[in-house]
Amino acid sequence: MTDRFQYPNDREARSAARAKALESLLIEKGIINATTVDTVLKVFETKMGPFNGAKIVARAWVDPAFKQRLVADAPAAIAEMTDLPEGMAGAEGEHMRAVANGEGVHNLVICTLCSCYPWPVLGLPPYWYKDPTFRSRAAREPRAVLKEFGLDVPSATEVKVWDSSAQIRWFVIPERPAGTEGMSESELAALVTPESMMGVAVANAA
Amino acid sequence: MKLQHFLGGLESLGPVSTETRVFVEEWEKRIFGIHTAMMALSSQLPLPATPSAFRTVWTWADLRKGAEAMNPFDYFKFRYYEKWLGGICGYFVANGYITEEELEARTAEYCADPDKPLPQDSATPAAGTTIDQRVERYLMEGDSPKRELDIAPAFKEGDAVQIRNVPSIEHTRLPGFLRNRSGVVETVYPGVYGYLTDTGTDGIGAPMPVYCVRFAVEDLWPGNTEPNVTLYADLYATYVATAA
């Protein structure tokens, strides 16, 4: 979309200065501390991020009973896992649901009104998810959109689009790729991308 | 009517972005951190008091209202965190925490010297919960909108329903492309759910049931969609009526 509009040459420098000016005023006025923004960012580097979702999906791949429980009651199944950080039912993850791809079904998660995203398991939404063009088009022509991501969903496969407009934050359990039979859970987790857990990609064997 | 309420289904926009980064500029991280701290320090939350001078309410609803109020061309013109930066600066000015003049003056200082460091905290921390502790606690505990009230849902799974065309003014959680359309209740979520603010004639705010409603895309965009696609939307009960 950028080509359609004119932007000043100092677009980014000016925004950077304005953001820094705001942060510095908020610190001076005692609204936040000098460490607060870094504290927030650290949570998304260490506790809330797609590294959690990848572990959850890998567990679902190796344990079909866990996968069933994850689809039936995602928070309860996630709470069973002992190798995840605290906060898995925290901000933007208070009510999560998982949908599983499988034979004849491909799921795609969108948010046409804003950018609802399951923070504890996926962290923060990538730019493609927040883009108004994606949000507009994915509702009406998901197959065309997925093609632009390089994903050709066969016409016999149903595409289920989940629009997050209320309290639920959705994520997708992609299919386990072929040729990964001998892999450990942590090797499998490395194959799971944020895009595959939102449905604009599938998980591929490395 | 606001274009931002009717994005779903809008045509002729060109290719999608496949940018997988969360932040494309370093400054975007800072405004995200400020927004999240504001949500955590927001006065309506049942969290321990801190020495923060933040005394008002800031939730997703405030951020969304700002984005929905934008000129629709600007909405497409500005990147995600540019919109946040504009909305959050405007909030702090409108609520008297800072003035536009001091923000402009400080911005000019950082334009002239981008590497000038941020200030240190002005006061030594008092005893009790710190600002950062409350921020972390908010992130770890969240802010569930689920309420323990005995309100029976009007519909059950499998019921045919029609989506209302409520008079939304400032803010809504009803996607425009679903208004007046027919669907089938896929899931009745257990419990009832409030919303972050009262949206007035739009109808959400007080706790109410929420449904996942299934729509055939051919009913949403007759002759102008793709085969073998089903769309599901989570909708507050006030948006959902008996099928005509």
Side-chain angles (χ1 to χ4, degrees):
Chain A
M1 297 303 293
T2 296
D3 298 346
R4 290 179 204 281
F5 300 108
Q6 288 205 320
Y7 300 91
N9 290 332
D10 63 350
R11 176 185 183 183
E12 301 305 336
R14 168 128 189 114
S15 290
R18 200 164 168 84
K20 199 167 184 180
L22 179 66
E23 186 178 354
S24 82
L25 290 170
L26 298 183
I27 294 167
E28 279 180 9
K29 291 173 191 286
I31 291 166
I32 60 173
N33 286 142
T35 50
T36 303
V37 168
D38 289 330
T39 295
V40 171
L41 296 174
K42 192 165 179 221
V43 168
F44 289 90
E45 284 159 17
T46 58
K47 289 182 173 169
M48 294 179 151
F51 38 83
N52 297 323
K55 279 185 184 170
I56 294 164
V57 167
R59 176 69 50 87
W61 284 348
V62 300
D63 182 346
F66 175 80
K67 183 176 168 183
Q68 274 190 355
R69 294 197 295 279
L70 185 60
V71 170
D73 184 346
I78 291 168
E80 290 174 24
M81 291 182 63
T82 53
D83 55 346
L84 295 174
E86 61 173 330
M88 288 302 104
E92 294 302 296
E94 298 94 340
H95 303 282
M96 292 190 288
R97 283 178 74 107
V99 279
N101 288 349
E103 189 67 35
V105 179
H106 182 86
N107 292 283
L108 173 65
V109 178
I110 66 173
C111 178
T112 57
L113 288 172
C114 54
S115 54
C116 294
Y117 202 72
W119 282 7
V121 299
L122 276 174
L124 300 173
Y127 254 102
W128 62 261
Y129 185 78
K130 305 178 287 207
D131 180 39
T133 300
F134 170 81
R135 290 158 45 210
S136 302
R137 292 186 52 205
R140 190 183 62 87
E141 46 173 4
R143 291 173 190 278
V145 165
L146 294 176
K147 243 178 217 167
E148 292 175 27
F149 279 90
L151 187 61
D152 211 342
V153 180
S155 57
T157 296
E158 181 187 13
V159 176
K160 294 184 173 187
V161 180
W162 303 86
D163 193 356
S164 324
S165 7
Q167 84 283 14
I168 299 290
R169 300 293 172 265
W170 295 89
F171 67 96
V172 175
I173 308 167
E175 284 191 281
R176 180 173 176 163
T180 59
E181 290 72 16
M183 284 190 179
S184 70
E185 225 173 289
S186 62
E187 287 169 327
L188 289 169
L191 307 179
V192 184
T193 61
E195 283 64 42
S196 70
M197 290 185 280
M198 283 283 115
V200 296
V202 294
N204 290 307
Chain B
M1 100 178 222
K2 293 179 167 62
L3 177 65
Q4 288 87 317
H5 293 168
F6 288 81
L7 273 190
L10 196 63
E11 295 183 45
S12 308
L13 291 171
V16 295
S17 161
T18 54
E19 173 61 65
T20 57
R21 285 177 294 172
V22 172
F23 303 107
V24 295
E25 293 284 336
E26 278 301 301
W27 67 261
E28 296 182 337
K29 296 180 180 173
R30 312 312 292 181
I31 197 65
F32 169 74
I34 290 169
H35 158 78
T36 303
M38 290 164 74
M39 289 206 299
L41 297 167
S42 186
S43 61
Q44 90 289 359
L45 290 180
L47 292 176
T50 75
S52 172
F54 195 66
R55 295 281 176 264
T56 48
V57 170
W58 175 264
T59 70
W60 287 114
D62 298 281
L63 190 74
R64 291 169 184 160
K65 268 186 229 171
E68 290 167 32
M70 285 178 76
N71 174 316
F73 294 102
D74 284 347
Y75 187 81
F76 276 93
K77 175 176 179 177
F78 292 113
R79 217 167 49 231
Y80 188 72
Y81 286 115
E82 289 176 313
K83 288 179 266 202
W84 285 37
L85 179 61
I88 291 167
C89 286
Y91 176 88
F92 278 114
V93 171
N95 284 274
Y97 290 105
I98 61 173
T99 66
E100 186 61 43
E101 291 71 33
E102 62 186 340
L103 183 60
E104 271 304 315
R106 191 63 57 89
T107 301
E109 281 177 39
Y110 283 118
C111 275
D113 182 3
D115 296 327
K116 184 181 168 186
L118 286 167
Q120 292 304 303
D121 295 331
S122 49
T124 47
T129 303
T130 67
I131 291 172
D132 290 14
Q133 283 169 342
R134 174 159 163 158
V135 167
E136 285 190 282
R137 186 157 161 191
Y138 162 72
L139 285 170
M140 292 301 102
E141 292 179 6
D143 176 25
S144 171
K146 191 173 183 183
R147 300 290 175 260
E148 298 306 323
L149 289 174
D150 194 16
I151 303 175
F155 301 107
K156 59 184 190 304
E157 285 163 20
D159 281 355
V161 292
Q162 176 156 6
I163 307 309
R164 297 175 61 210
N165 186 17
V166 293
S168 307
I169 298 169
E170 204 178 18
H171 182 38
T172 188
R173 295 306 295 170
L174 173 57
F177 67 95
L178 298 176
R179 288 167 183 259
N180 294 320
R181 302 300 185 172
S182 299
V184 175
V185 174
E186 173 80 7
T187 308
V188 182
Y189 293 113
V192 291
Y193 300 84
Y195 187 64
L196 300 159
T197 192
D198 184 328
T199 60
T201 54
D202 172 79
I204 60 171
M208 61 183 73
V210 176
Y211 304 101
C212 180
V213 181
R214 181 174 77 240
F215 298 89
V217 289
E218 191 53 40
D219 290 342
L220 300 176
W221 298 286
N224 191 21
T225 182
E226 294 173 342
N228 209 6
V229 175
T230 309
L231 187 136
Y232 300 81
D234 294 327
L235 298 170
Y236 289 90
T238 195
Y239 299 143
V240 180
T242 308

